[in-house]
Amino acid sequence: MNLFMQSIIDGILNGAIYAVIALGLTLIFGVMKIINMAHGEFVMLGMFSTYFIYQYAGLDPYLTIPFTGIIVFLFGLLMYQFGVGKIPGLTEENSLLFTAGASLFIANLAQFLWSPNYRRLDLPYGVTTLQVGDLAISVTKIISLCIVLVCVIGLWYFLHKTFVGMAIRASSQEKIAASLMGINVKRIAMITFGIGAGFSAIAGTLLTAEIAFYPTVGTIFIIKAFIVVVLGGMGNIPGAAVGGIILGVAESLGAVYVSSGFTDAYGLIIFLLILLFRPQGLLGRKV
């Protein structure tokens, strides 16, 4: 029973980080109908931004979040302004092809600049655990969960209580009507792309305390992000949170009770089952 509960807790904590990665992806798709294949590279850029700030400024990785978030947010703005936003007749298909190419370019440029070597942050509290009865909970994962909750609540408040957030929601529902109401839809799309990139960077920062990383690590996380988004429903923000938790728990239970060698396969199995039996996702609606 203790092993089962430990697996559930570990899965929830891991799934929370997956949820943050997927939030950015589903926000971009929900507003702009862009399938951003470069989303994993935003995670990677968040990881390397954290690494360099930690190495050269000595700042704790969790305190780098405002900086890494802003850096990758600005990168997302530039990518939209000079790339995605310039595509004539922007559609899901040509945006997918463009961002897939951008993904390869960013990953290879990162390898050229920083070498393909693995990097890892050895934090003084990296292996510290909190004992709750017979359960051991990683301190870094507890910190990550708290930051994830702040991000989710902050995003909800931003989307529902600020003018820009409401403009984003209006643009996601009906672009023409939003434009007639005086909303600059193109500018809102650019901001949304930047916010999605910024959320990925935050997830990247949280992951640096848990895993080793390298320039092409984004490939792993774009797959997980797509699984979470499809699981929760494309463009559905609460669905991304639920999907992330489900994926994290499924991977954790599978690693303990089946085999740790197939961790990534459990998510793909769920992905296929959702596509077969509920393609609109758990919280999505039929079109």
Side-chain angles (χ1 to χ4, degrees):
M1 187 61 183
N2 284 340
L3 183 60
F4 177 77
M5 288 304 300
Q6 184 73 59
S7 302
I8 294 290
I9 291 172
D10 288 342
I12 291 172
L13 295 174
N14 290 334
I17 300 178
Y18 295 159
V20 174
I21 300 174
L23 277 178
L25 186 66
T26 204
L27 185 65
I28 291 172
F29 180 82
V31 175
M32 304 155 65
K33 306 304 177 193
I34 288 176
I35 302 172
N36 181 20
M37 296 297 291
H39 202 69
E41 274 56 52
F42 294 156
V43 177
M44 178 272 292
L45 290 175
M47 289 174 156
F48 274 90
S49 299
T50 302
Y51 174 80
F52 288 123
I53 294 173
Y54 178 73
Q55 289 292 322
Y56 296 109
L59 198 60
D60 186 276
Y62 295 110
L63 297 179
T64 68
I65 284 177
F67 303 104
T68 57
I70 291 172
I71 290 170
V72 183
F73 168 80
L74 294 174
F75 183 87
L77 290 185
L78 292 174
M79 181 171 165
Y80 182 86
Q81 180 66 19
F82 298 105
V84 177
K86 298 293 185 185
I87 300 173
L90 185 63
T91 64
E92 293 177 23
E93 290 79 11
N94 56 24
S95 68
L96 186 149
L97 292 173
F98 178 88
T99 55
S103 167
L104 292 172
F105 175 78
I106 295 168
N108 282 283
L109 181 63
Q111 285 197 97
F112 174 74
L113 293 175
W114 304 322
S115 83
N117 295 335
Y118 281 62
R119 290 172 171 84
R120 188 180 185 91
L121 297 184
D122 293 318
L123 304 177
Y125 51 86
V127 294
T128 306
T129 57
L130 181 68
Q131 286 295 137
V132 181
D134 293 331
L135 304 176
I137 305 173
S138 165
V139 167
T140 56
K141 289 184 178 178
I142 293 174
I143 296 172
S144 295
L145 180 63
C146 294
I147 293 171
V148 169
L149 291 174
V150 170
C151 289
V152 172
I153 295 170
L155 179 62
W156 181 90
Y157 183 87
F158 173 75
L159 290 176
H160 290 82
K161 300 296 181 181
T162 67
F163 174 78
V164 176
M166 288 187 276
I168 289 174
R169 290 170 56 212
S171 300
S172 70
Q173 293 170 11
E174 180 51 67
K175 285 186 173 57
I176 295 175
S179 183
L180 291 174
M181 295 300 292
I183 294 172
N184 187 330
V185 175
K186 287 186 178 178
R187 182 176 297 173
I188 290 298
M190 182 174 67
I191 292 171
T192 305
F193 201 86
I195 293 172
F199 266 90
S200 304
I202 293 172
T205 297
L206 300 181
L207 285 165
T208 54
E210 310 294 337
I211 62 170
F213 52 93
Y214 44 95
T216 55
V217 72
T219 306
I220 298 172
F221 295 108
I222 187 62
I223 294 172
K224 291 187 185 296
F226 271 117
I227 292 171
V228 171
V229 169
V230 170
L231 189 56
M234 295 289 280
N236 190 310
I237 290 176
V242 173
I245 300 297
I246 292 174
L247 177 63
V249 171
E251 287 185 348
S252 182
L253 289 174
V256 171
Y257 291 103
V258 183
S259 170
S260 60
F262 302 108
T263 304
D264 293 331
Y266 307 128
L268 293 173
I269 292 170
I270 294 173
F271 180 74
L272 293 174
L273 291 174
I274 286 291
L275 288 178
L276 282 173
F277 299 108
R278 194 173 169 80
Q280 72 271 30
L282 295 177
L283 301 187
R285 290 178 296 181
K286 283 187 177 180
V287 178

